[in-house]
């Protein structure tokens, strides 16, 4: 039996591998932060990047 690959759209908090991404200050509570054995850092691909690292928001992308 073939397993259905999880789609990113099923749950916006899960990445392409189904890993639950948890926005938190500086990503400290997220399994995708690169500090967990066997899991690469995923911050650069994460939809919640600016929730974890708001200091990186560009002024030109901010609402006026």
């Amino acid at each position: 039996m073939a397993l259905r690959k999880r789609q990113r759209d099923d749950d916006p908090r899960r990445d392409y591998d189904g890993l639950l991404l948890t926005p938190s200050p500086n990503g400290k509570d997220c399994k995708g932060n690169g500090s967990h054995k066997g899991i690469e850092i995923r911050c650069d691909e994460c939809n919640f990047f600016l929730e974890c690292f708001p200091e990186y928001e560009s002024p030109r992308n901010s609402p006026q």
Side-chain angles (χ1 to χ4, degrees):
M1 175 184 355
L3 295 175
R4 182 177 80 85
K5 184 172 181 170
R6 175 178 287 281
Q7 299 293 317
R8 286 185 73 175
D9 297 337
D10 289 349
D11 183 345
R13 295 170 299 160
R14 295 195 181 271
D15 74 349
Y16 55 88
D17 285 335
L19 182 70
L20 182 63
L21 302 172
T22 311
S24 56
N26 294 315
K28 70 178 182 63
D29 298 328
C30 187
K31 287 195 176 191
N33 66 10
S35 66
H36 299 277
K37 186 175 182 177
I39 302 175
E40 293 181 11
I41 190 165
R42 310 222 172 144
C43 296
D44 59 338
E45 312 169 335
C46 184
N47 293 330
F48 303 111
F49 181 84
L50 290 176
E51 288 184 45
C52 297
F53 305 99
E55 64 273 16
Y56 286 103
E57 183 153 13
S58 170
R60 70 184 165 163
N61 294 334
S62 298
Q64 301 286 328

